[in-house]
Amino acid sequence: MLDPALLVPALLTLGVFSILYRENPVFRCIEHVGLGMAAGYALVTIVFNGMLPRLVAAARHPGDMAAVLLALPLMAGIAFTALRRNALGTLGVTIAAAIAAGFAVPGLVQNLILEQMRATMVPVGLSSDAGFDSLVIAVCVLSTMAYFSFTREPRGIRGLAAITGLYTLMISFGASFGYAAMSRITLLIGRFLFLLRDWLHLVN
Amino acid sequence: MRISYLGLLASLSRIDRRIIYLLVACAVALPLLAASTTRLIPAEESQSFHRAIAQLAEGETVLLAVEYNAGTAFELEPMVVTLVEEVFSRNARMVVSCFDAQGVGLVEETIAELAAASGKTYGTDWVFLGYRPSAPGVIISLATAPYAVFPRDHRGNSLSDLPLSSSLSGYADYQLVAVIASGTTAQDWVIYGTGRFHAPIIVGLGGGIGPTFQSFIDARTITGLIAGLRGAAEYEQLAGRPAEALRALSAQSTAHVLLVLLIVVGNASFFAARWLERTPY
């Protein structure tokens, strides 16, 4: 027995799949409805979870400097969006960006640069799995750096290192692309499971 | 005769794309209809992910940061389901925060259902903080002053009124930080969370950004990692809770084999066409 409550999402799913056959107005309509609903939902969530609580807190407790200070950048941001590059808005955005950068730089340097360098500079060798892994990592890192070294024309050893670096990058991008393809197929499986199991009950 | 084989191979490059779509649909649907299952050898980082949760003691608190919406739910929700079930089965407690404005309702509904099934009470065993804009600010605040960003939970309760959250002070409250994210929030946790939270950080990711986080495992910036449907399936197997991800993995494997075959045939067809162009006869 088909669940009538699932008829609408099932038809919408099939309508989206219809683009695979050819361009059609049903797909465009569903696409715009979906995008509109997503944007509307996100807007309501942001307004009621981010903006209004701050403004209400500042209005209710004008003596609370923390609430007022938190509301000021918010109002400056709204002014920046609404009035286009006015001085107040620019100042608010500048302060917010400066604070974010101040918090980000130590974490970026520590976790994305220093820790990565530390993990790269480990003993290499052929006698153990860990040592061989470290050797591969060292070769890949050095050859990739050689690929991005443009001070001299890559010839001889430098050229070989640059080519190795190029292949290292291609393998890395290939791994990312493979995972991205896996991710898209996963979402397709999710829709098929919805159609075959939840709607048509063909799968237990 | 050799030329005709090459001609046949070359003609494959002109195949209608809709036939390829149909092949992919069959590759996905048939294993699901056959209900075939897969047995995996879990990766070391998946085992570390599971080990971090398995070491939780009764009464300890997990900070769960979730970022997914309807578009990416199927990839990440299995991770959340298994993780929440396992945490509750150990009688550990959970503070949940959502980092996707479009996913707040989905995340709360999923965890509320799991909590009800496990007999857990809202406010005592778990709290849903909800969504606040700006992931870096929220991460820093959760580590230093949670009340500044979350004076109330998503249901409007004052955090100071709930038994679990009444004594929240920051990083020292948590014995484990679990991040399940489809986008860049996970990297925000690496940048802003590592060092601020003294608890180990484990990460579950959408497949698209999985490989970029492998280096954080090697550098021990994060403790455990599961990526994509494969990672979710490995975790389900390790936790002894086979569910959605393990079921879908055979379909994924079949689709992958088909994609690899299509890439090989496509390349062979390209070279065959080029050979025929250069050969006069």
Side-chain angles (χ1 to χ4, degrees):
Chain A
M1 183 69 181
L2 296 184
D3 186 349
L6 297 180
L7 188 63
V8 172
L11 290 178
L12 289 175
T13 303
L14 293 174
V16 170
F17 282 160
S18 69
I19 188 67
L20 298 175
Y21 182 68
R22 69 177 174 203
E23 175 70 41
N24 63 81
V26 174
F27 167 78
R28 287 293 163 206
C29 178
I30 295 170
E31 183 190 31
H32 292 149
V33 168
L35 286 173
M37 284 176 67
Y41 188 91
L43 180 69
V44 169
T45 306
I46 290 168
V47 166
F48 283 94
N49 290 274
M51 291 169 65
L52 285 185
R54 289 281 159 238
L55 292 174
V56 169
R60 278 187 182 168
H61 310 287
D64 183 352
M65 284 309 291
V68 174
L69 281 174
L70 284 169
L72 277 177
L74 168 63
M75 289 189 282
I78 295 169
F80 180 74
T81 309
L83 305 177
R84 302 282 176 96
R85 299 186 64 80
N86 67 83
L88 178 66
T90 309
L91 185 66
V93 172
T94 306
I95 291 170
I99 292 171
F103 274 115
V105 167
L108 279 166
V109 171
Q110 177 66 31
N111 297 312
L112 298 191
I113 299 176
L114 296 180
E115 287 296 324
Q116 293 294 311
M117 288 172 68
R118 183 187 59 75
T120 307
M121 296 174 193
V122 290
V124 298
L126 298 168
S127 56
S128 66
D129 288 349
F132 184 70
D133 287 352
S134 305
L135 181 64
V136 172
I137 289 171
V139 169
C140 290
V141 169
L142 292 174
S143 59
T144 305
M145 288 169 72
Y147 178 73
F148 285 106
S149 172
F150 303 115
T151 48
R152 286 183 189 172
E153 190 178 353
R155 284 183 179 172
I157 296 293
R158 289 170 62 95
L160 183 66
I163 290 292
T164 310
L166 176 64
Y167 278 96
T168 302
L169 287 170
M170 288 170 70
I171 291 168
S172 170
F173 293 146
S176 289
F177 178 74
Y179 262 89
M182 182 173 82
S183 185
R184 300 296 173 263
I185 292 290
T186 301
L187 302 180
L188 179 67
I189 293 169
R191 285 294 83 198
F192 268 68
L193 261 181
F194 166 72
L195 291 173
L196 297 174
R197 183 186 58 190
D198 302 340
W199 186 44
L200 298 174
H201 303 293
L202 294 174
V203 178
N204 291 323
Chain B
M1 186 57 73
R2 184 172 59 90
I3 296 296
S4 65
Y5 279 136
L6 281 176
L8 186 65
L9 194 57
S11 68
L12 287 176
S13 62
R14 294 188 296 275
I15 195 170
D16 192 329
R17 71 182 195 288
R18 284 168 286 205
I19 293 174
I20 295 173
Y21 295 150
L22 193 63
L23 287 174
V24 173
C26 290
V28 169
L30 291 177
L32 293 176
L33 290 168
S36 56
T37 54
T38 310
R39 190 80 190 159
L40 298 165
I41 301 172
E44 178 54 38
E45 55 267 25
S46 302
Q47 294 181 33
S48 303
F49 185 98
H50 173 249
R51 210 177 297 125
I53 299 163
Q55 286 171 349
L56 284 171
E58 187 173 334
E60 290 189 329
T61 307
V62 178
L63 174 60
L64 173 60
V66 187
E67 184 222 355
Y68 68 76
N69 55 44
T72 50
F74 187 75
E75 195 172 25
L76 296 169
E77 203 171 72
M79 299 179 190
V80 172
V81 169
T82 313
L83 189 147
V84 171
E85 283 179 347
E86 206 177 7
V87 168
F88 281 152
S89 74
R90 297 183 181 284
N91 290 321
R93 305 179 303 172
M94 200 161 11
V95 175
V96 186
S97 179
C98 183
F99 285 77
D100 191 322
Q102 295 175 357
V104 183
L106 277 175
V107 173
E108 188 189 18
E109 186 184 349
T110 302
I111 298 178
E113 281 177 9
L114 294 167
S118 304
K120 299 297 176 184
T121 311
Y122 186 81
T124 307
D125 300 305
W126 71 287
V127 168
F128 185 60
L129 299 177
Y131 169 82
R132 292 289 184 276
S134 172
V138 174
I139 293 165
I140 293 165
S141 178
L142 283 170
T144 53
Y147 287 102
V149 171
F150 293 103
R152 292 180 178 277
D153 69 357
H154 187 63
R155 300 179 178 187
N157 304 303
S158 173
L159 285 195
S160 54
D161 293 340
L162 299 171
L164 173 56
S165 54
S166 59
S167 58
L168 283 183
S169 58
Y171 65 87
D173 301 318
Y174 310 108
Q175 282 70 49
L176 180 67
V177 177
V179 183
I180 308 291
S182 61
T184 54
T185 301
Q187 185 145 326
D188 287 335
W189 274 95
V190 169
I191 295 170
Y192 300 99
T194 310
R196 284 196 171 84
F197 288 88
H198 294 184
I201 296 178
I202 55 174
V203 179
L205 292 171
I209 53 171
T212 55
F213 271 68
Q214 193 64 45
S215 60
F216 295 131
I217 281 283
D218 296 336
R220 296 192 178 87
T221 311
I222 58 175
T223 304
L225 172 68
I226 51 175
L229 193 70
R230 160 107 196 180
E234 288 179 3
Y235 177 42
E236 282 182 1
Q237 185 176 300
L238 285 164
R241 300 170 187 277
E244 201 94 327
L246 266 171
R247 169 183 207 108
L249 204 63
S250 55
Q252 177 120 41
S253 302
T254 316
H256 263 224
V257 170
L258 177 66
L259 290 182
V260 171
L261 280 176
L262 288 172
I263 290 169
V264 171
V265 170
N267 278 278
S269 176
F270 168 77
F271 285 113
R274 199 163 72 168
W275 174 270
L276 286 175
E277 277 175 13
R278 290 177 180 176
T279 309
Y281 302 106

